[in-house]
Amino acid sequence: NAGVMQNPRHLVRRRGQEARLRCSPMKGHSHVYWYRQLPEEGLKFMVYLQKENIIDESGMPKERFSAEFPKEGPSILRIQQVVRGDSAAYFCASSYAGTGDEFFGPGTRLTVL
Amino acid sequence: GESVGLHLPTLSVQEGDNSIINCAYSNSASDYFIWYKQESGKGPQFIIDIRSNMDKRQGQRVTVLLNKTVKHLSLQIAATQPGDSAVYFCAENTSGAGSYQLTFGKGTKLSVIP
């Protein structure tokens, strides 16, 4: 009865490296959302995906950030050439029908040195 | 615009008392609202939700009230326990635009005094 799984839980990168964050939704869920959270702030929407499709990426920076949710395997949030400002907690959520009832994973805490 | 880097509002309550956490939402078109609890180092945990066609919904020890006229949401926790200590976020969702992203409020930190 696994919930939303994210890995790694903690990720340290140096400036200019790439970060790959993985999210496995709850069983039976085909809608995935990525959010970013800075310390003492609420979560900010980044991107919403269904299997093999990006539905809404209005919250994702146009450069360096990309997301995918392949037919098989987890959803991936990829950050290229990381900068210190990318340091944050990144949360993935999934839902069954994409109607807003989202269940969150434990997050990946990215630290850029 | 939003403030960045300010400390979260904090609510301190005695164990056993009732807690009321308030939230003002921004979009009058929002039709679905959720309260989340976030403990340190963890992801948000769903507590209770309410749709815009309702003004009150009760769960186990929690009640959510929705006032659409003033765009206000509140979470009431009865008989607050130490395990309720966490940051509480309200989130609003606007359906109908092809996307169901949630917009989160800034959060309130609840501290329960044993």
Side-chain angles (χ1 to χ4, degrees):
Chain A
N1 187 23
V4 179
M5 310 279 283
Q6 288 188 252
N7 69 82
R9 294 293 309 277
H10 300 273
L11 182 62
V12 179
R13 286 287 178 265
R14 296 191 180 279
R15 281 180 296 170
Q17 291 184 319
E18 178 180 288
R20 277 184 177 242
L21 289 61
R22 295 176 201 80
C23 169
S24 296
M26 285 179 69
K27 188 176 181 181
H29 287 191
S30 60
H31 300 256
V32 165
Y33 311 78
W34 285 93
Y35 291 82
R36 183 163 98 163
Q37 185 178 35
L38 295 172
E40 299 210 337
E41 292 194 6
L43 282 71
K44 297 286 197 298
F45 169 80
M46 298 180 73
V47 62
Y48 164 41
L49 311 100
Q50 294 180 34
K51 283 285 187 181
E52 300 185 274
N53 288 303
I54 296 174
I55 307 302
D56 181 355
E57 54 183 348
S58 59
M60 198 155 68
K62 295 283 187 285
E63 297 178 355
R64 302 190 297 109
F65 284 73
S66 62
E68 63 177 13
F69 189 16
K71 187 177 180 181
E72 301 291 337
S75 175
I76 306 284
L77 178 68
R78 183 181 175 206
I79 311 172
Q80 295 178 289
Q81 299 173 330
V82 296
V83 300
R84 290 218 172 107
D86 296 333
S87 295
Y90 292 84
F91 291 96
C92 166
S94 72
S95 74
Y96 172 71
T99 51
D101 51 342
E102 300 172 24
F103 293 87
F104 283 82
T108 294
R109 276 144 190 87
L110 172 66
T111 301
V112 179
L113 301 177
Chain B
E2 291 185 352
S3 299
V4 175
L6 293 181
H7 293 295
L8 288 170
T10 300
L11 175 66
S12 296
V13 298
Q14 206 71 39
E15 182 179 356
D17 286 352
N18 297 335
S19 302
I20 300 177
I21 301 171
N22 296 304
C23 175
Y25 64 91
S26 55
N27 189 343
S28 57
S30 294
D31 56 6
Y32 179 56
F33 306 87
I34 310 175
W35 279 100
Y36 285 96
K37 172 187 180 183
Q38 188 176 28
E39 296 174 281
S40 181
K42 296 185 179 180
Q45 176 188 353
F46 175 95
I47 302 174
I48 191 168
D49 60 358
I50 188 168
R51 298 207 175 267
S52 58
N53 61 351
M54 304 172 69
D55 53 22
K56 181 179 180 179
R57 188 159 188 235
Q58 287 184 292
Q60 187 176 14
R61 281 203 308 120
V62 294
T63 301
V64 55
L65 298 176
L66 174 62
N67 184 331
K68 294 182 287 294
T69 303
V70 295
K71 294 191 285 189
H72 184 269
L73 200 65
S74 69
L75 176 70
Q76 300 177 2
I77 305 173
T80 313
Q81 303 168 0
D84 295 327
S85 294
V87 177
Y88 290 80
F89 292 98
C90 66
E92 60 184 296
N93 173 281
T94 306
S95 62
S99 173
Y100 295 96
Q101 59 174 280
L102 293 172
T103 300
F104 282 77
K106 291 190 182 301
T108 297
K109 184 175 182 179
L110 176 65
S111 294
V112 181
I113 305 164

